[in-house]
Amino acid sequence: MGEVLLECRHLKKYFDVPNGVLHAVDDISFSLEKGKTLGVVGESGCGKSTLGRTILRLLPHTSGEVIFEGKDILQYSRGEMKELRKKMQIIFQDPFSSLNPRYTVFETIREPLKIHKMFKTQEETNRRVRELMEVVGLASRYENTYPHELDGGRRQRIGIARALALTPQFIVCDEPVSALDVSIQAQVLNLMMDLKDSMGLTYMFITHDLSVVKHISDEIIVMYLGQIVEKARGDDIFAHPMHPYTKALLSAIPIPDIRYKGKEAETIKGELSSPINPKPGCRFAPRCPRATEKCRMENPELKDMGDNHLVACHLY
């Protein structure tokens, strides 16, 4: 096992809503080794983006710990957090709304360098911006271009360059390719994988697309309504899924072969249980074809089934 860069311990993020308390992130624990990629998957509303933002302290936490390089960053002061921002960054889902429409490409990438006073002279700062543009594959002719003049792929490259500006160690990638065309998705994913290898980055890659996460992740977490239901190595999740929810997600991945006549996809039926004031029991039970009375009464614990494959299910 390598050096652990980030560890979450019983992290919770609740929101007060008119009907009660919404459990967006509910008792999440995991560790992430340096230089690895952790995929976080689940359908919309499962809390994966909230998890990423709470880890980075873009949202205040309810309880728990986030240990980064051996220290609980949730206890950091504002000054300590500003210094930590150099080490932790985020690539947002929507490359258009995450960019300032009044800033050119050059100004957008230069902004974090100016805020953190990374260089003493403007010449050094400008040189670094041009280096970053080259690293992410943005031609120099786009320096004075505004976001609305570019396509989604180039906008996301600006977001990646901005995230890399301060040479971080850890980057939360919040669905960075979901808003892009499929052909552009492959280019951006390949770029991110190349950057990870060349710069020794550690990623937390959030997505709802399992076929995307398969190619980029060393380990995968499957989330359902704020909780982890399964965690394992990327190849292990695909070869031996254990939780009924994971199995249903995998069976829904389309196979690009017109000759393929396999079994039909497992559809998830039943009503989605509410994350507001959740009742005891497994949150997937109302939609699970194999649910028992125990599933409806007791919340399953995350258990290691061997080879570091964890699952939260009463069937095991």
Side-chain angles (χ1 to χ4, degrees), residues 162-217:
R162 180 178 59 184
L164 294 173
L166 304 173
T167 57
Q169 294 169 264
F170 172 64
I171 300 179
V172 171
C173 312
D174 187 6
E175 305 221 26
V177 295
S178 65
L180 307 178
D181 291 342
V182 175
S183 58
I184 308 293
Q185 279 187 12
Q187 293 173 20
V188 173
L189 280 173
N190 288 335
L191 168 67
M192 292 177 70
M193 289 165 81
D194 291 343
L195 291 170
K196 178 195 166 219
D197 294 337
S198 63
M199 301 175 81
L201 297 168
T202 305
Y203 287 151
M204 179 173 162
F205 196 93
I206 297 164
T207 182
H208 61 268
D209 190 339
L210 272 159
S211 50
V212 165
V213 86
K214 181 180 186 181
H215 296 291
I216 201 167
S217 302

Side-chain angles (χ1 to χ4, degrees), residues 5 8 41 47 94 102 129 175 187 203 240:
L5 179 71
C8 278
V41 295
D94 185 350
R102 297 184 180 188
V129 173
E175 305 221 26
Q187 293 173 20
Y203 287 151
H240 309 290

Side-chain angles (χ1 to χ4, degrees), residues 8-13 25-30 63-65:
C8 278
R9 295 177 186 165
H10 306 290
L11 187 63
K12 296 181 182 180
K13 173 59 187 170
V25 173
D26 205 357
D27 202 16
I28 296 275
S29 298
F30 67 85
S63 67
E65 297 174 300

